[in-house]
Structures are given as C-alpha cells and as structure tokens.
Amino acid sequence: MSLTQIKTETGDFVNEAVLELINENPITITPLHDLLIKMNTVDIAEVFESLDKEKTIQVFRLLPKSLAADVFSYIVPRTQQVIVEALTDGEVGKIINELYMDDAVDFIEEMPANVVERVLKNIYDDKRQLINQLLQYPEDSAGSIMTTEYIALREDASVREAFDTIRATGVNKETIYTCFVIRRDRLLVGVISAKTLLLSKPQDRIGDIMDARLILAHTTDDQENIADLFRKYDLLSLPVVDKEQRLVGIVTVDDIVKVIGEEFGEDIEKMAALNPSYEPYLDSKIFRLAGNRIVWLMVLMLSATLTGYIISSFEESLAVMPALVAFIPMLMGTGGNAGSQASTLIIRGIALGEIQPRDIVRVIWREVRIGLICGTALGLVNFIRVYITNSQDAMLSLAVTLSLIVTVILAKSVGCLLPLAARKLGIDPALLAAPLISTLIDCTSLLVYFTIARMILQI
C-alpha cells in the first residue's frame, strides 16, 4: 500500500490508516515507519490503545529514539507497563531518562512496585534522586505535579548572558517562554518572558526588566488551588517555592489541564453518589467499581426509611383521601430536581471562585426568589392538571399546588445552602450534593405536603 492511498482528502494522515498497515501480516515496516514519523505524538499514542500486546511492542520499536519518549509520555499506563516489561534494561533507562521530570513521576506513580524498582535501577542517579524527592510530596500537592526542568536566570545577569543560558540549557527544559529570576541563594525574585528578553537591549540587566509581581505556589499547596491560579491569571507556568521562598520547580499548563480534568471527574462522581475512581473504567476491577458505588447506595437506602416513617405517620390522612398517594412521586421528584439544579450551579460557582461562603445570604435570597418563580409556574400548570384529572376537586388541586410551590422554594434553598456550608466546614461541596440533598428534600416535601393537605382538606 502506498502512502498516497492512505491520506484523507485534506492530505492529513489518520489513525485508521496506521491501523490498516499494522494489521497487515507481516507488518509493512517501511511505509508504517514513514507514516508514524509524520504524525503528531498524541495521535501516535492513541494508536496503541487499539493494539494487542504483541503489536504494541512491535510498533513501539519502530519509533525513532528521538520520538519514542515523547510518545511514551502520552500512552495510557496499562500500555506503558506492557512496553516497559518488553524492553531491555538499557532501553527502559533511555526512555525514562528522556521524559520530563513530571511525566516520569506520573509514570512511576501508576506502575506496580516491581516495575518501579526496575525503572529506578536503570536511570541516571541525579534523575532518580529528583524523582524520589518529588514522590515524597503530599499527593495532589503542587510539589507532586511540578517539574524541575525550567530556565533560571540570575538577577545580575545581562540579556546577552540570559540568551546564552537559554541556548545552552533550553533544549532539555519543559518551557522557555517564561524564565524565572533568582539570586545566588536560589531565592525567587521575579519572572521574565521571552518576549521581554527579545525586545530588550543585550546589555540590559535582568533585575531591571523582570516582573517582580510574583504569582507563585508553595510545594504543599493543593493542586486544585493551583488550578484556580492558572484560571484566574491566565498562566502558562507557575513557579513553586519551598518554605524559604527558594525556587524548586514549576507547574506548567499541560499538567493543570490534567488536574482540572481529574477534579471535574471527581466532582461528577461525588455528585452521583460514587466514591471517586482514579483508574480508567475498563481498567478497573469489578469489585472495586462495585465498592465505589455500594457505600452511598447503602446510605441512600437506609435514609429512605425516613421517608417511609413519614408516610406511615400520615396513614390516617391517606386512608381518608387515598388520592393523595398519587402525587407523592411527583412532589419528591420535582423537589429533588429543583435541589439538584441549585446545588450544581452553586458547586460550579464555588469551583470557579465566583461564590464564597460569605455570600450565603445573597445566594439564599436569590434562590428563594428563583424558587418562587419556578414554583408558581409549575404550580399553575399542576393546578389545572390535577383539577381536570381529579373530578374538578378544587381543594385537592390547591393543596397539591401549594405543596409544590413550597417544596420547590425549600429545595432551592437547601440545594444552595448545603454546598456553601460544606465549603465553610472544609468539606468538598460535591460530596453533599447527591446523598444529603435528595434525602432532605424527600423528607421535607412529604412533611410539607401532608401538613398543607391536612390544613386545606381538613383530614
């Protein structure tokens, strides 16, 4: 098969074309090699997700040495392990030594102990020491996601000397677009962009043209707070310092994109009453997936006994007017949906820094008004529906409608109050979204419903 046969109309190579060549038996090595080296490293990494173990090893060995490490950093952990186990000790050392420090740490954190031991034995001593140092930082901290490969310039250096430093060391650094200015004791004093360097005179002193308005993080800062800084200040990289304000690493935007994805997925799972899972779905064991779900399912099941107790407490009212039973699912469902809407928006606002615990009064007042508007609109439609379908019983229609309005208002209030209260107490707001809100709204809606029904219908 010629290369011209596996191009799209726009001339771009696609993964399907690569897979077609790989699936030939035997593999057509030269065309496949020529095609791979013209592809983006991320696209090459995606190809490995569709290959079996044998093909994975064959294709990875086809990659040029200059490309192999870049591709390896984008490959999913389970495939990385397959590749490492198939390579010789020397080949493993070359691959890991070529990785940026943060990518090497990410890889090692995902591997079993036997693979980690083999990898650490076959890499440079200085890299092993740095990796061990980074692994000691708390999980999900700035220190655990930073890289030590950055450009550091002396405060007293000239622009000409700065460019000499960048040319000499920049090829192995993760970024050269932002450089970090330090004193001889490695104290961070400023940052300077490549643009500023290019537009300055060769004899200008770095300390005179740097930006001393530092935005930085400490090694123990939570990665979610780091993501907030990137989002707020539109950063490409962020310096990380130790307790003495000495520069020890930087966090780059590509790592923060991963962090944001992880935090978003974690919040989604918590809001769905799941314990967060940090493994890909298809790589997770069945018992682990079940374990992540069964805890909250058990909590929700047991909490449902409260609603059963409330219903049993009003058995006499239900016996007098059995028609009341028909509207219980509607009230509980509408209340739950209204509460979920409010909590989702508040959790999003908290995550983006738009809402703070001090805004609790404003938020509740806003949600009460929203609940009143939504509840009234729903109530009017509901009144007509109940009136038509229940022998034009105006009093029953009124009882159900008023219960619906009050339930929606209370649901909106509870839905915004719980996440803010959780944040104030230092608890993840998403953790309270699904389990507590649904239970509270169910119980509240039933109490409101039966209380109003008793008052209006005199039962």
Side-chain angles (χ1 to χ4, degrees), residues 260-402:
I260 292 174
E262 291 172 359
E263 296 291 342
F264 175 75
E266 182 178 306
D267 287 345
I268 290 295
E269 291 182 354
K270 287 180 178 177
M271 291 174 68
L274 293 168
N275 286 334
S277 174
Y278 301 100
E279 295 180 347
Y281 175 81
L282 294 177
D283 292 342
S284 301
K285 296 180 179 179
I286 295 297
F287 281 102
R288 178 170 295 179
L289 289 174
N292 290 339
R293 304 179 190 189
I294 197 169
V295 174
W296 281 115
L297 286 175
M298 189 73 70
V299 171
L300 292 172
M301 180 190 71
L302 295 175
S303 66
T305 58
L306 292 174
T307 60
Y309 176 77
I310 294 172
I311 292 174
S312 64
S313 299
F314 291 91
E315 283 183 354
E316 294 180 2
S317 299
L318 293 174
V320 174
M321 185 168 285
L324 291 174
V325 177
F327 304 105
I328 291 177
M330 181 272 294
L331 286 170
M332 293 173 61
T334 303
N337 290 334
S340 296
Q341 287 179 338
S343 65
T344 300
L345 288 176
I346 299 306
I347 291 170
R348 175 185 178 276
I350 292 173
L352 296 177
E354 299 171 351
I355 300 174
Q356 302 296 332
R358 64 176 179 270
D359 301 318
I360 187 167
V361 175
R362 292 176 58 196
V363 171
I364 291 177
W365 175 232
R366 179 178 290 264
E367 287 299 324
V368 166
R369 287 177 291 169
I370 293 172
L372 181 60
I373 295 171
C374 293
T376 301
L378 294 171
L380 289 174
V381 174
N382 185 72
F383 183 90
I384 297 172
R385 181 181 68 86
V386 176
Y387 186 76
I388 293 173
T389 58
N390 286 269
S391 304
Q392 300 182 352
D393 189 336
M395 300 307 290
L396 175 61
S397 302
L398 180 61
V400 175
T401 297
L402 289 178

Side-chain angles (χ1 to χ4, degrees), residues 48 56 77 84 120 122 147-148 154 176 227-228 345 370 410 413:
F48 286 93
T56 293
V84 168
L120 293 178
N122 291 284
T147 181
T148 57
R154 297 195 320 274
I176 62 172
D228 290 338
L345 288 176
I370 293 172
L410 289 175
S413 302

